[in-house]
Amino acid sequence: MLKFKKGDPVRIKKWEDVSKVDAFVDKMKPLCGKPAVIIDRDDRAYRLRPMQIADMALDWDWWFTDEMLEKL
């Protein structure tokens, strides 16, 4: 069961913490440490929206798992 729900504020964990997660790929590295909001979820992962306008230019087209996120 997922620990976050739609609308929850989260932060993507630091690279040192998520680089060990199988689903986390190098292209996601610029998102590390960024705050975001859960906008969608399925039974295993979440879609995020950045909280800061400056982060909108980054590629957010990824699914994130509980191991990649921490509560804000």
Side-chain angles (χ1 to χ4, degrees):
M1 177 174 244
L2 296 174
K3 60 182 175 179
F4 301 111
K5 64 183 187 309
K6 195 173 179 179
D8 281 350
V10 295
R11 180 183 324 277
I12 301 165
K13 291 181 179 178
K14 295 177 184 176
W15 177 248
E16 298 79 29
D17 298 326
V18 294
S19 62
K20 302 169 190 90
V21 177
D22 287 338
F24 205 90
V25 297
D26 286 347
K27 290 182 181 180
M28 298 164 86
K29 189 174 183 177
L31 302 176
C32 290
K34 302 291 183 183
V37 174
I38 306 285
I39 58 169
D40 195 14
R41 56 180 263 175
D42 64 13
D43 58 334
R44 295 177 295 143
Y46 310 94
R47 301 281 294 187
L48 306 178
R49 176 179 47 87
M51 291 179 89
Q52 299 175 347
I53 292 182
D55 296 334
M56 301 279 283
L58 299 172
D59 180 9
W60 288 88
D61 195 25
W62 302 98
W63 285 90
F64 296 83
T65 63
D66 281 332
E67 296 83 21
M68 299 174 188
L69 304 173
E70 56 192 8
K71 187 173 183 164
L72 272 181

